[in-house]
C-alpha cells in the first residue's frame, strides 16, 4: 500500500470504521471493445489494489451493453491484462449481459411506479426538448401514457416488434434539472443486433446509466470507482437505486482522475484506428500503450504498477510526462538484469599484434548490483565495435577511439589505432589496431590513460541477431491524429552482433546491452536460429536531450501538485468558484479545478470573460496557454494583455483560425507581444475553408497515394484519417478540419 493514503482509501477506511460498509467490494468494469491500455492499468491497480488492501474482493465485469462493438477476443485481452498485473478477480468473470433479465425487471418495476415511460418522439425532437443549460427542457407528450400502455409498449419493444429508434424507455425525473443528465435520461433503446454472448435474445439493450448501477447493486459492490467524466452521471446512479427502494446495502460511486500521458493516445477507439489502419502491427505492437504492447516490449508488471503508484490518485485530470513511465521501467530493471554486449552497427577491427584466442571471465552485473553470475567472453584478433565508436576527425569532446586516442574494450584490453582502411568511396571498412598486453581489465599495469571504455564482440563467436529499436509513436506532446505519428518510431536492425552467452546460456530474457539500453527477447518472434530483441527503453532520457535542443520552453506543464496523489481541499471561496465554473459556465471539472485553485488565473479569466462572453474557449486558452506562461513570469511581465487573449479566442470562435494554429499564434504573442490579428495577417495563418482550394489539395494527395485510395475503396475506412492528415499537413495545418473531412469523404466515394 502506498504510504500516503489517497482520497479513495480515506473514504474506504471511514466507511469500514463507521460500519457503513461491512466488506469492501470493488469491480473493474471495462467494455470489451478493444485492448486495455495503461489507463486501464491505473483503474485495475486502484480497484484490485483497494480490495486487496482492505481484505475485500474485486470483480472483473465486462460491461457489454453495446452489442455492435464487442468481441470475445477483447474479453481475453482484458483477462490477460489483469492476470499479468498480478491480480485475481473474485469468482468467474462477470458480464452485464448476464443481468439483462434482472435489469429488465427493474425497468418494468420503474414503469409500474410511474417513474419510467416509453417515448416515441423522433431523435431530433428529443434533443430539442431537452433544453439547454440556461433553459429548462420540455417533457414529451408521450410521458402522459398510462402505466398499462407503457408496460405493453415496453414488452413489445423487447419482443422486437419495432424498428431501431422507434421508441425508447426513459426515466421520469425532471426536465428542468440543472444537471442535464437528469432530464428524463434514456434507460433502454431498441437494437436489432446480435450480441456476442446473448445472441438474438434481446431487441432492447439497457443504457450505461441504468445497467451500471444495477450491476453494481446485484454484485454487492460497496465502492463503485470510476473516472471523472462520470461525475454528472452520479445523480442518475443514485436516483435509480433510491427510486427502486432496493434492500440495502447499496453501492456508492466515486470518481478519480483519468490517466493521460504525453506523446500517447489513450482511447480504445483511437488505438483501434491505428491497428486497423496498419500504422502499427496489431494490438500488441510494442509502440502501443496497450498492456499487451508493454508486455511484448519487455516492460514488467512491477514497473507498470510502480508507475501507477507514482502518478497517484487525484481528483483533477492531469497530463503525466511519459519519461516518468520510462524512469519506472529503468528503475525496475537496473538491479535485476544481466549486462551484456551487443554491437548494433558493426565495424571490423583487427588487432594486428594479438595471436591465438582466450576467454575472459566477466561478471554479468556491475559491482553495485548484489547479484552473482558471470560468463566467458571469447576474445581474438578479430573483433567488432560500434561504427560510431570510431571517428577519424572527431569533435573536441569525443572520448572514444580515434587515430590519436586509445580506448578500452570493456572488460578486456586497451587498443590503439594504427591504420584506417577505406573502400573506394571513402567509407571506413576496417581498422587495424594494436593492443597493450599489460592493459587487461582488472590487472592493468600499462600506464596508458584512456577516456572511455566501449563495448565490442568477438567476430568469430558472435551471433547475428535482429534488434528492433522503438521510439515514441508520436512526435508531438499532445498528438491529435495520424499526422502526428513519429515516422522513426521503429527501426529494425537485422545484422546486429551479440556475444554468444546471451543466446547459448540464456541467463535471462531481459538484458542491459551495455551503453545501448534495456532489451527483451521478443516473446513471439524469437527463435534460437533467429533471435529477435526489442528495445524496452534507453539508458537515460535520450529523448529529453533531443527535444531540448529544438524547444526553448516546456510545452505542457505537468501538474505536479496534483499527480503526487494528494488532493488539497479547496477553501470555501475556491469551492464557490468551482461550482460557478462547472454549473453556471459548464466548464469541465478539470478546467474548473485549475481555475478555481489559482487566484491569479481565475482573475485573468474573469477579466477576459467580462470582455468576451465565450466561457469555454476562454477557459481552454487560459488554463493551458496562459497558465503555462504564468508559471514562468509574473503577470506584469506578460507581453500580451487580457484583451489580446480575448482577440485570439474571437479568431478561434469565428473560425478564422483553428485551435492548432491558435497555439502557434500564441507562441508568437508571447515572444513579440504583437496582437493576434496582426500575427494572423502577417503570417498568413487564416484558416482555409474554401472548398475549391481544399479540393485541389485533396486531389493532389489522392493522386500521390493511389495504393491507399485503393485500400480505402476496398473497405479500409480507417484510411480516412490518413487522407485528412495529409491534407492538413499540406496546408501547414491551416485547412479547416471539418471541411477537409467532408470533402475527403465525398471525393473518395
Ligand atoms: P476508452 O476511452 O479508452 O475506451 P473507457 O473509459 O471507455 O476507455 P472502459 O473499458 O469503459 O474504458 O473502462 C474500464 C474502466 O477503466 C473504467 O472504470 C474507466 O473509467 C477506466 N479507465 C479507462 N481509461 C482510463 C484512464 N485513462 N485512466 C484511468 N482509468 C481509466
Ligand atoms: Mg468506452
Amino acid at each position: 500500500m502506498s504510504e500516503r493514503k489517497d482520497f479513495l482509501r480515506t473514504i474506504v477506511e471511514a466507511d469500514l470504521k463507521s460500519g457503513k460498509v461491512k466488506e469492501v467490494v470493488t469491480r473493474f468494469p471495462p467494455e470489451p471493445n478493444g485492448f486495455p491500455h495503461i489507463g486501464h492499468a491505473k483503474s485495475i491497480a486502484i480497484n484490485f489494489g483497494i480490495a486487496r488492501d482492505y481484505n475485500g474482493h474485486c470483480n472483473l465485469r465486462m460491461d457489454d451493453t453495446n452489442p455492435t462493438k464487442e468481441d470475445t477476443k477483447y474479453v481475453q485481452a482484458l483477462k490477460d491484462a489483469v492476470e499479468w498485473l498480478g491480480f485475481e478477480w473474485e469468482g468467474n468473470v462477470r458480464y452485464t449481459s448476464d443481468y439483462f433479465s434482472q435489469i429488465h425487471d427493474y425497468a418494468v418495476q420503474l414503469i409500474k411506479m410511474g417513474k419510467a415511460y416509453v417515448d416515441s418522439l423522433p431523435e431530433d425532437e428529443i434533443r430539442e426538448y431537452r433544453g439547454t443549460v440556461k433553459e429548462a427542457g420540455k417533457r414529451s407528450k408521450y410521458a402522459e401514457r398510462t402505466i398499462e400502455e407503457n408496460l405493453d409498449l415496453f414488452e413489445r419493444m423487447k419482443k422486437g416488434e419495432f424498428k431501431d429508434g422507434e421508441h425508447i424507455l426513459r426515466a421520469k425525473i425532471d426536465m428542468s434539472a440543472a444537471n442535464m443528465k437528469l432530464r428524463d435520461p434514456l434507460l433502454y433503446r431498441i437494437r436489432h443486433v446480435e450480441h456476442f454472448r446473448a445472441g438474438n435474445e434481446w431487441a432492447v439493450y439497457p443504457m450505461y446509466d441504468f445497467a451500471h448501477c444495477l450491476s453494481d447493486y446485484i454484485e454487492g459492490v460497496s465502492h463503485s470507482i470510476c473516472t471523472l467524466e462520470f461525475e454528472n452521471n452520479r445523480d442518475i446512479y443514485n436516483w435509480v437505486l433510491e427510486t427502486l427502494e432496493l434492500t440495502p446495502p447499496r453501492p456508492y460511486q466515486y470518481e478519480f482522475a483519468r490517466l493521460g500521458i504525453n506523446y500517447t493516445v489513450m482511447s480504445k477507439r483511437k488505438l483501434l484506428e491505428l491497428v486497423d489502419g496498419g500504422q502499427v502491427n496489431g494490438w500488441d505492437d510494442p509502440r502501443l500503450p496497450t498492456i499487451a504492447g508493454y508486455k511484448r516490449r519487455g516492460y514488467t508488471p512491477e514497473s507498470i504498477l510502480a508507475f501507477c503508484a507514482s502518478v497517484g490518485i487525484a481528483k483533477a485530470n492531469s497530463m503525466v510526462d511519459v519519461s516518468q513511465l520510462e524512469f519506472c521501467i529503468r528503475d525496475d530493471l537496473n538491479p535485476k538484469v544481466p549486462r551484456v554486449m551487443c554491437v548494433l552497427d558493426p565495424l571490423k577491427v583487427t588487432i594486428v599484434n594479438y595471436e591465438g584466442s582466450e576467454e575472459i571471465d566477466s561478471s554479468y552485473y556491475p559491482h553495485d548490483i548484489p547479484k552473482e553470475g558471470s560468463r566467458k567472453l571469447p576474445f581474438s584478433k578479430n573483433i567488432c565495435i560500434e561504427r560510431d565508436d570510431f571517428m577519424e576527425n572527431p569533435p573536441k569532446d569525443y572520448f572514444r577511439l580515434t587515430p590519436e586516442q586509445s580506448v578500452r574494450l570493456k572488460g578486456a584490453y586497451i587498443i590503439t589505432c594504427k591504420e584506417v582502411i577505406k573502400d573506394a568511396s571513402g567509407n571506413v571498412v576496417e581498422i587495424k589496431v594494436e593492443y597493450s598486453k599489460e592493459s587487461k581489465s582488472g590487472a592493468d599495469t600499462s600506464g596508458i590513460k584512456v577516456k572511455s571504455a566501449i563495448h565490442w564482440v568477438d567476430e568469430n563467436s558472435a551471433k547475428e541477431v535482429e534488434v528492433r529499436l522503438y521510439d515514441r509513436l508520436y512526435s508531438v506532446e499532445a498528438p491529435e491524429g495520424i499526422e502526428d505519428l513519429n515516422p522513426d518510431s521503429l527501426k529494425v536492425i537485422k545484422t546486429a552482433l551479440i556475444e554468444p552467452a546471451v543466446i547459448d546460456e540464456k541467463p535471462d530474457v531481459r538484458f542491459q546491452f551495455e551503453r545501448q539500453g534495456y532489451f527483451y527477447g521478443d516473446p513471439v518472434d524469437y527463435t534460437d536460429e533467429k533471435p529477435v530483441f526489442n528495445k524496452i527503453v534507453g539508458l537515460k532520457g535520450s529523448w529529453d536531450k533531443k527535444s531540448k535542443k529544438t524547444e526553448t520552453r516546456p510545452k505542457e506543464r505537468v501538474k505536479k501538485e496534483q499527480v503526487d496523489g494528494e488532493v488539497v481541499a479547496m477553501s470555501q471561496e475556491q469551492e464557490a468558484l468551482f461550482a460557478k465554473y462547472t454549473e453556471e459556465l459548464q466548464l469541465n471539472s478539470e478546467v474548473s479545478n485549475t481555475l478555481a485553485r489559482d487566484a491569479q488565473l481565475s482573475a485573468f479569466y474573469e477579466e477576459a470573460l467580462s470582455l468576451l462572453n465565450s466561457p469555454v474557449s476562454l477557459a481552454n486558452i487560459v488554463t493551458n496557454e496562459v497558465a503555462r506562461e504564468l508559471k514562468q513570469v509574473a503577470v506584469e511581465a506578460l507581453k500580451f494583455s487580457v484583451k489580446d487573449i480575448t482577440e485570439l479566442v474571437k479568431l478561434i470562435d469565428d473560425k478564422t483560425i483553428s485551435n492548432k494554429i491558435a497555439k502557434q499564434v500564441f507562441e508568437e504573442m508571447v515572444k513579440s507581444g504583437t496582437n493576434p490579428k496582426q500575427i494572423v495577417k502577417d503570417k498568413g495563418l487564416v484558416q482555409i475553408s474554401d472548398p475549391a482550394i481544399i479540393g485541389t489539395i485533396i486531389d493532389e494527395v489522392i493522386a500521390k497515394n493511389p495504393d491507399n485510395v485503393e485500400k480505402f475503396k476496398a473497405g479500409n475506412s480507417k484510411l480516412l484519417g490518413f487522407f485528412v492528415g495529409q491534407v492538413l499537413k499540406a496546408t501547414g495545418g491551416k485547412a479547416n478540419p471539418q471541411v477537409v473531412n467532408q470533402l475527403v469523404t465525398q471525393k473518395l466515394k
Side-chain angles (χ1 to χ4, degrees):
M1 199 190 310
S2 62
E3 282 159 40
R4 220 173 7 202
K5 213 178 304 148
D6 56 75
F7 83 96
L8 289 172
R9 285 177 168 83
T10 305
I11 291 170
V12 169
E13 278 184 23
D15 288 348
L16 283 170
K17 200 165 163 211
S18 71
K20 178 176 168 188
V21 166
K22 298 271 170 308
E23 192 198 359
V24 176
V25 181
T26 56
R27 84 286 170 266
F28 170 60
E31 188 185 347
N33 60 350
F35 271 53
H37 49 64
I38 191 157
H40 293 103
K42 177 171 176 181
S43 181
I44 291 170
I46 291 174
N47 281 298
F48 284 92
I50 288 180
R52 185 195 53 205
D53 289 349
Y54 297 98
N55 297 318
H57 68 258
C58 180
N59 295 341
L60 173 58
R61 181 201 311 149
M62 301 299 152
D63 192 13
D64 55 350
T65 53
N66 182 356
T68 54
K69 296 183 190 156
E70 294 156 1
D71 197 294
T72 38
K73 75 170 176 225
Y74 300 135
V75 172
Q76 191 55 46
L78 284 154
K79 286 159 65 173
D80 291 347
V82 174
E83 278 177 343
W84 184 69
L85 288 171
F87 295 109
E88 249 175 76
W89 53 88
E90 166 88 3
N92 293 328
V93 174
R94 333 248 163 159
Y95 295 84
T96 303
S97 56
D98 287 344
Y99 313 138
F100 277 172
S101 64
Q102 267 165 292
I103 295 171
H104 165 268
D105 293 349
Y106 282 124
V108 169
Q109 199 177 322
L110 279 184
I111 297 175
K112 286 184 181 159
M113 296 169 94
K115 297 287 186 186
Y117 61 96
V118 173
D119 198 357
S120 314
L121 282 182
E123 215 179 307
D124 50 339
E125 279 179 49
I126 290 184
R127 205 173 309 125
E128 202 178 302
Y129 276 39
R130 191 164 285 137
T132 64
V133 185
K134 296 205 183 91
E135 278 167 57
K138 182 166 86 173
R139 195 161 262 162
S140 157
K141 62 174 188 245
Y142 299 109
E144 300 308 313
R145 279 175 170 147
T146 63
I147 289 174
E148 288 65 36
E149 270 177 288
N150 282 319
L151 286 173
D152 173 60
L153 279 171
F154 187 51
E155 177 63 18
R156 289 166 56 201
M157 281 164 69
K158 183 185 129 193
K159 282 188 181 148
E161 289 185 21
F162 306 110
K163 289 198 288 289
D164 285 12
E166 220 175 319
H167 305 287
I168 54 171
L169 184 72
R170 301 178 77 168
K172 202 175 209 169
I173 308 183
D174 180 359
M175 288 305 290
S176 55
N179 178 354
M180 300 271 294
K181 299 249 174 183
L182 286 182
R183 296 188 183 177
D184 291 10
L186 230 138
L187 302 180
Y188 264 93
R189 60 181 166 179
I190 301 173
R191 282 255 160 149
H192 289 276
V193 213
E194 187 171 311
H195 186 280
F196 80 107
R197 295 186 77 246
N200 290 310
E201 192 184 341
W202 295 90
V204 287
Y205 290 95
M207 302 303 292
Y208 170 90
D209 278 323
F210 193 53
H212 203 86
C213 53
L214 289 170
S215 305
D216 283 345
Y217 174 73
I218 291 166
E219 290 179 10
V221 167
S222 60
H223 298 84
S224 178
I225 300 166
C226 62
T227 34
L228 276 179
E229 68 274 20
F230 293 100
E231 210 172 350
N232 286 336
N233 301 59
R234 195 199 316 135
D235 287 341
I236 309 180
Y237 190 100
N238 290 334
W239 183 89
V240 170
L241 298 180
E242 278 157 23
T243 306
L244 284 167
E245 292 169 6
L246 301 168
T247 328
R250 54 153 285 195
Y252 289 86
Q253 177 184 310
Y254 303 93
E255 309 89 22
F256 70 96
R258 247 181 135 71
L259 172 66
I261 305 183
N262 61 4
Y263 296 102
T264 309
V265 297
M266 197 118 61
S267 125
K268 282 177 285 181
R269 185 180 54 78
K270 288 191 182 163
L271 297 174
L272 178 64
E273 274 173 23
L274 294 175
V275 172
D276 280 353
Q279 274 83 23
V280 295
N281 304 315
W283 281 105
D284 66 347
D285 187 299
R287 292 167 293 178
L288 286 180
T290 52
I291 312 282
Y294 288 116
K295 180 179 172 193
R296 174 140 187 209
R297 181 150 172 178
Y299 273 72
T300 57
E302 293 82 0
S303 66
I304 302 281
L305 292 174
F307 171 70
C308 292
S310 77
V311 168
I313 309 176
K315 275 199 229 178
N317 284 326
S318 60
M319 186 61 78
V320 178
D321 203 309
V322 64
S323 56
Q324 195 171 331
L325 175 62
E326 292 164 352
F327 169 85
C328 289
I329 181 66
R330 276 187 214 110
D331 194 49
D332 183 44
L333 295 182
N334 174 43
K336 288 185 185 164
V337 303
R339 273 60 170 174
V340 299
M341 294 201 276
C342 178
V343 175
L344 299 182
D345 184 10
L347 172 64
K348 188 175 163 64
V349 173
T350 307
I351 308 172
V352 292
N353 61 339
Y354 187 92
E355 288 305 326
S357 67
E358 67 185 289
E359 285 193 317
I360 302 171
D361 200 44
S362 187
S363 171
Y364 275 128
Y365 305 96
H367 299 301
D368 56 337
I369 304 292
K371 281 189 83 169
E372 303 271 318
S374 67
R375 81 292 198 187
K376 302 268 189 242
L377 279 173
F379 189 83
S380 73
K381 70 187 299 172
N382 300 313
I383 61 163
C384 290
I385 65 169
E386 209 69 66
R387 184 162 294 275
D388 67 7
D389 280 340
F390 171 76
M391 269 185 109
E392 219 177 354
N393 302 300
K396 226 174 91 200
D397 54 355
Y398 188 83
F399 295 147
R400 296 164 270 168
L401 188 65
T402 75
E404 278 78 43
Q405 185 168 265
S406 303
V407 79
R408 170 173 298 285
L409 297 174
K410 227 172 215 304
Y413 301 92
I414 292 174
I415 53 170
T416 306
C417 178
K418 291 292 163 191
E419 191 187 345
V420 181
I421 298 171
K422 297 181 185 171
D423 65 11
S425 27
N427 301 312
V428 178
V429 289
E430 182 186 349
I431 39 185
K432 300 210 187 253
V433 302
E434 279 180 4
Y435 86 115
S436 156
K437 207 172 178 164
E438 292 76 41
S439 67
K440 193 163 179 182
S441 215
D444 183 359
T445 56
S446 70
I448 308 171
K449 288 260 175 304
V450 291
K451 289 187 176 145
S452 69
I454 60 175
H455 60 279
W456 55 277
V457 291
D458 169 56
E459 196 183 13
N460 304 325
S461 58
K463 312 259 182 190
E464 192 170 274
V465 297
E466 176 173 325
V467 174
R468 299 175 182 166
L469 299 175
Y470 297 106
D471 202 343
R472 291 179 187 165
L473 185 54
Y474 290 95
S475 48
V476 303
E477 263 202 87
E480 278 166 27
I482 276 168
E483 71 271 23
D484 294 327
L485 285 168
N486 173 8
D488 302 318
S489 60
L490 170 61
K491 200 171 142 201
V492 179
I493 297 175
K494 299 257 184 201
T495 53
L497 291 175
I498 203 161
E499 57 168 285
V502 175
I503 311 300
D504 297 339
E505 291 174 14
K506 290 198 184 61
D508 203 335
V509 285
R510 293 182 183 84
F511 301 89
Q512 185 189 108
F513 290 180
E514 299 263 16
R515 301 174 65 231
Q516 304 280 11
Y518 292 97
F519 289 80
Y520 179 53
D522 185 86
V524 178
D525 295 334
Y526 187 107
T527 62
D528 282 342
E529 292 68 46
K530 190 178 162 283
V532 179
F533 291 93
N534 296 326
K535 180 166 181 178
I536 308 171
V537 68
L539 287 180
K540 42 178 179 281
S542 54
W543 183 284
D544 301 340
K545 271 185 255 150
K546 225 189 285 178
S547 56
K548 243 177 228 146
K549 271 184 220 149
T550 50
E551 278 163 31
T552 45
R553 297 177 312 101
K555 265 199 188 158
E556 193 120 4
R557 73 201 165 114
V558 179
K559 296 173 197 153
K560 286 262 160 39
E561 68 275 18
Q562 284 152 13
V563 300
D564 263 347
E566 250 183 345
V567 184
V568 183
M570 285 191 192
S571 68
Q572 233 171 1
E573 213 175 301
Q574 290 172 333
E575 288 272 23
L577 270 182
F578 183 80
K580 170 181 165 184
Y581 292 150
T582 46
E583 285 153 30
E584 219 176 290
L585 301 178
Q586 291 289 306
L587 306 182
N588 73 39
S589 51
E590 180 194 4
V591 165
S592 304
N593 180 59
T594 309
L595 285 173
R597 285 176 186 273
D598 187 330
Q600 201 179 31
L601 217 52
S602 55
F604 193 105
Y605 177 63
E606 297 277 338
E607 197 182 330
L609 205 55
S610 71
L611 297 174
L612 177 71
N613 183 21
S614 177
V616 176
S617 312
L618 277 174
N620 280 337
I621 294 277
V622 172
T623 52
N624 289 299
E625 268 64 36
V626 177
R628 195 179 58 221
E629 282 314 305
L630 283 176
K631 286 236 142 169
Q632 327 258 337
V633 297
V635 79
E636 302 77 32
L638 293 176
K639 287 211 174 146
F640 53 83
S641 64
V642 174
K643 182 141 183 297
D644 289 336
I645 293 299
T646 61
E647 299 267 357
L648 178 64
V649 168
K650 259 191 228 154
L651 293 171
I652 303 172
D653 284 352
D654 69 16
K655 304 211 160 42
T656 306
I657 55 174
S658 64
N659 278 314
K660 205 162 181 167
I661 293 291
K663 289 188 181 154
Q664 205 177 318
V665 174
F666 182 79
E667 300 293 315
E668 190 53 40
M669 290 163 64
V670 168
K671 269 190 245 150
S672 65
T674 314
N675 82 54
K677 264 195 189 146
Q678 194 63 41
I679 296 172
V680 170
K681 200 169 143 224
D682 291 349
K683 302 206 156 190
L685 294 175
V686 175
Q687 176 156 269
I688 309 170
S689 298
D690 183 345
I693 301 176
I694 293 178
T696 319
I697 299 165
I698 295 175
D699 291 340
E700 281 164 20
V701 170
I702 287 178
K704 260 193 251 164
N705 295 284
D707 289 355
N708 279 344
V709 171
E710 210 165 283
K711 279 189 212 152
F712 180 85
K713 291 197 170 152
N716 187 350
S717 59
K718 299 296 179 323
L719 280 167
L720 192 66
F722 165 80
F723 286 104
V724 171
Q726 291 292 313
V727 176
L728 291 179
K729 211 168 180 175
T731 58
K734 283 188 289 184
N736 180 330
Q738 268 121 15
V739 178
V740 175
N741 227 318
Q742 217 177 344
L743 281 182
V744 168
T745 316
Q746 250 173 43
K747 291 207 178 236
L748 284 175
K749 256 200 198 127

